[in-house]
Amino acid sequence: MADNVNGKVVVRPADLRASGGVARGLGEELKAPVQNAVTTSETVAGQLTGWSIAGGLGQLGTGWSKPLADLRQRFADTAANLDANAAAHEATERTIAGGLAAAPQGAR
């Protein structure tokens, strides 16, 4: 979205889709580091059995797993919503353009 020279809001479906692509990409980029962090904390906890910190490390991986998965899902949902908005704007523009083209011309 941007303001044009007349001060009106202009929605560009391509911009919405680009923003959706960024959100989708961020969510995908988080996948490997998040999984690595969770797996590493659980692995280290297993290797430190008997140490007082083992339980805490295991809980760290387990505790952060859901919030980080929720964050990735939020990025995916945001991308889907932006794509849906882009499609809706395009459909509205087509409908309006079709209505204007079919509108009867006034008498001259």
Side-chain angles (χ1 to χ4, degrees):
M1 281 195 294
D3 289 334
N4 67 14
V5 291
N6 296 322
K8 296 180 181 178
V9 175
V10 177
V11 177
R12 294 185 181 95
D15 292 345
L16 292 172
R17 283 197 177 85
S19 295
V22 169
R24 189 174 293 105
L26 287 171
E28 287 302 315
E29 285 179 29
L30 282 174
K31 185 177 183 177
V34 164
Q35 186 58 49
N36 187 38
V38 170
T39 301
T40 299
S41 68
E42 291 171 350
T43 299
V44 170
Q47 293 172 344
L48 294 175
T49 301
W51 289 68
S52 62
I53 61 170
L57 286 172
Q59 289 175 349
L60 179 69
T62 303
W64 277 102
S65 181
K66 180 167 177 11
L68 292 173
D70 290 348
L71 176 63
R72 288 190 62 236
Q73 185 60 51
R74 192 163 180 186
F75 278 120
D77 292 346
T78 297
N81 288 337
L82 287 165
D83 289 342
N85 275 290
H89 277 285
E90 288 172 336
T92 300
E93 289 173 1
R94 280 191 303 273
T95 300
I96 291 170
L100 292 174
Q105 298 295 319
R108 293 188 179 203

